[in-house]
Amino acid sequence: GQTQKMNLFQSITSALDNALAKDPTAGILYLLVCFALYKLHFVLPICKDRVFNTPLCEQGIVGFGIGVAVAGATAIAEIQFADYIFPAFDQIVNEAAKYRYRSGDLFNCGNLTIRAPWGCVGHGALYHSQSPEAFFAHCPGIKIVIPRSPLQAKGLLLSCIEDKNPCIFFEPKILYRAAVEQVPVEPYNIPLSQAEVLQTGSDVTLVAWGTQVHVIKEVAAMAQEKLGVSCEVIDLRTILPWDTETVCK
């Protein structure tokens, strides 16, 4: 199909555009959408009535998203920086993650996806540089996904939106404009909980996700060149539930 050169934030916007066009119940809950810090939502004119400008309240954003999802619609909530997801921690781990279990599967909020710009950029200081996925990686009932590139981001985000479990989708913000690829214009999916072997090796396995995938690829090349060590490189992609079979094999 048709492809287009996109950076990471353009591929994410394309995924949101596809999701809103496909699902008439889908809506975006976004802090300061009129300001649009990363300008991710300016190309969604056909669905303006489903892009909501929320108060500056992360707990409220996620709580509202849970309610929308429980009612049967598709909620795509954004925390403007992953560092500020902690006020919503209780809503995520005690409400979203446990909703299906506590109701005996009578109710669920599986149509909820939470997006958040993630990781450091070199000048973000302590409140705009954090990688909080480990806090959520021990909580059954949610899925955590972190892409390494524009092509990966669109396919994985669409899979999160369509998955019937609440998902947290962390976006490496240093790659928003730095990473550019040819990305299909039409929607496509990349399966969740499937790691990808980017390089085969016989001596050691290196596992990473998001921005660090690019770092360990450089490390693998240096290890081969300077030490003669053959490194397998794996992009985990989904942090929870992670692909134990691919990594252990």
Side-chain angles (χ1 to χ4, degrees):
Q2 180 187 359
T3 64
Q4 184 176 322
K5 185 181 287 187
M6 300 184 194
N7 58 27
L8 189 73
F9 84 75
Q10 288 170 329
S11 73
I12 290 168
T13 298
S14 179
L16 295 173
D17 202 3
N18 290 158
L20 292 178
K22 178 180 178 180
D23 182 354
T25 74
I28 294 174
L29 315 174
Y30 182 57
L31 173 66
L32 298 174
V33 70
C34 297
F35 175 64
L37 184 65
Y38 291 111
K39 296 182 174 59
L40 284 172
H41 307 303
F42 282 171
V43 295
L44 304 171
I46 61 171
C47 303
K48 280 186 177 180
D49 59 332
R50 288 187 279 137
V51 179
F52 300 98
N53 193 8
T54 69
L56 204 165
C57 176
E58 289 79 12
Q59 184 180 23
I61 293 170
V62 174
F64 185 26
I66 291 171
V68 169
V70 171
T74 298
I76 308 165
E78 177 169 331
I79 305 300
Q80 195 167 65
F81 287 96
D83 313 57
Y84 299 119
I85 203 169
F86 300 115
F89 192 86
D90 179 64
Q91 288 291 321
I92 294 171
V93 303
N94 272 334
E95 304 298 337
K98 297 177 175 65
Y99 215 105
R100 179 181 277 115
Y101 173 77
R102 78 177 189 180
S103 70
D105 203 22
L106 291 176
F107 308 100
N108 69 83
C109 58
N111 291 336
L112 170 66
T113 298
I114 302 166
R115 298 176 40 245
W118 163 98
C120 67
V121 294
H123 56 267
L126 69 166
Y127 289 134
H128 300 82
S129 303
Q130 298 179 50
S131 303
E133 66 271 20
F135 290 104
F136 299 98
H138 308 279
C139 179
I142 57 176
K143 295 186 177 183
I144 305 168
V145 178
I146 308 177
R148 70 175 187 270
S149 69
L151 183 67
Q152 295 287 312
K154 179 172 179 177
L156 289 168
L157 178 55
L158 287 172
S159 291
C160 285
I161 293 170
E162 295 173 13
D163 196 87
K164 295 308 176 186
N165 298 279
C167 296
I168 303 176
F169 188 81
F170 287 122
E171 302 164 6
K173 57 182 176 285
I174 196 172
L175 300 180
Y176 270 149
R177 291 173 176 80
V180 179
E181 285 183 311
Q182 290 294 135
V183 178
V185 175
E186 295 301 315
Y188 62 93
N189 295 86
I190 295 176
L192 304 183
S193 296
Q194 288 189 18
E196 183 179 4
V197 178
L198 302 179
Q199 177 179 310
T200 58
S202 57
D203 295 323
V204 64
T205 295
L206 306 179
V207 181
W209 51 88
T211 311
Q212 289 304 110
V213 172
H214 305 284
V215 176
I216 65 166
K217 287 173 68 177
E218 294 181 12
V219 170
M222 291 172 61
Q224 180 67 58
E225 179 184 349
K226 296 183 177 182
L227 303 173
V229 175
S230 175
C231 299
E232 178 186 42
V233 175
I234 297 177
D235 179 4
L236 201 57
R237 300 196 289 194
T238 301
I239 312 305
L240 182 71
W242 63 288
D243 185 356
T244 55
E245 181 179 352
T246 297
V247 174
C248 296
K249 183 170 65 176

